[in-house]
Amino acid sequence: MYSAAPDRDGNIWEKRVKVWLRIRYPNGEFEEVPAAHAGDFGVEGFSRDGRAYQCYASREPLRAGDLYENQRTKMHDDIAKFIKNKAELERLFGPVKIESWWFITPEHKSAKLIQYAQTKADEVRKAKLPYVSPNFFIHVATEDDFATEHQNAVHRGLDKLRIDGSSVDDEQVN
């Protein structure tokens, strides 16, 4: 994956991810859940194959431990909404059973986040929500999980190619 520094603007990160999801799920198979009116109930959107998606990007570069703490807090808050908003989410998902909740972030630096996700997934399963599969799990995803979609978005002019590299001064170019 050709990626530069991680996105630091959560709104830009969310927009990029939603472009990738629309490419992955054409023909209305991805349903965006806007937050502007009454909130998003802990999901940015969901797919008809039973995946719910939530995005998070840190505002500044963080060490692994601090990033983990911020991501854990975000996951905690959004999973709490995912459980608490039972009536709203049951109406939102309709016949779709959510099998996985994807936490999509530009940076993933800690195995402890996966452990925490296991704890939160167990909490969701124990809640026995009517819109959740008994095999529910949480997946921590990054841009690498969307490599094909990102490449397609760049090709279609919907995203930018981001390449790591050092800067070169004019003398080196000459």
Side-chain angles (χ1 to χ4, degrees), residues 4-174:
D7 284 302
R8 296 286 174 218
D9 182 309
N11 292 326
I12 291 171
W13 174 246
E14 180 181 331
K15 286 177 185 176
R16 286 185 72 209
V17 169
K18 286 179 179 178
V19 165
W20 303 336
L21 289 168
R22 285 187 181 90
I23 290 169
R24 180 174 284 185
Y25 299 103
N27 306 318
E29 291 296 309
F30 171 71
E31 192 71 53
E32 180 178 355
V33 180
H37 177 243
D40 64 12
F41 313 121
V43 295
E44 312 290 7
F46 66 97
S47 60
R48 305 285 176 206
D49 66 357
R51 292 179 182 163
Y53 297 94
Q54 184 64 3
C55 299
Y56 171 77
S58 65
R59 292 186 183 134
E60 64 226 18
L62 298 172
R63 293 176 312 137
D66 294 331
L67 179 64
Y68 161 72
E69 291 296 330
N70 287 7
Q71 290 171 326
R72 187 183 72 164
T73 298
K74 175 68 171 166
M75 187 181 291
H76 173 274
D77 294 348
D78 287 330
I79 287 296
K81 290 180 202 174
F82 189 75
I83 294 170
K84 182 183 115 193
N85 291 303
K86 179 180 171 181
E88 295 290 348
L89 287 170
E90 189 171 12
R91 290 176 36 216
L92 184 78
F93 296 136
V96 175
K97 294 283 186 209
I98 302 301
E99 294 188 16
S100 60
W101 187 87
W102 286 41
F103 184 78
I104 309 170
T105 183
E107 297 180 285
H108 177 28
K109 297 180 178 179
S110 176
K112 291 194 171 290
L113 187 61
I114 299 168
Q115 292 173 332
Y116 186 72
Q118 295 297 339
T119 301
K120 298 312 283 181
D122 190 49
E123 191 177 310
V124 170
R125 286 190 300 272
K126 285 179 179 172
K128 298 199 183 300
L129 302 165
Y131 47 87
V132 172
S133 163
N135 299 322
F136 177 85
F137 66 94
I138 295 174
H139 174 61
V140 179
T142 65
E143 186 172 332
D144 291 340
D145 288 275
F146 298 92
T148 302
E149 291 81 6
H150 176 245
Q151 185 177 34
N152 190 315
V154 168
H155 179 72
R156 293 168 53 186
L158 302 172
D159 203 349
K160 296 176 183 173
L161 180 61
R162 298 153 192 258
I163 300 173
D164 287 333
S166 56
S167 58
V168 179
D169 61 38
D170 291 336
E171 188 174 302
Q172 290 174 308
V173 171
N174 291 333

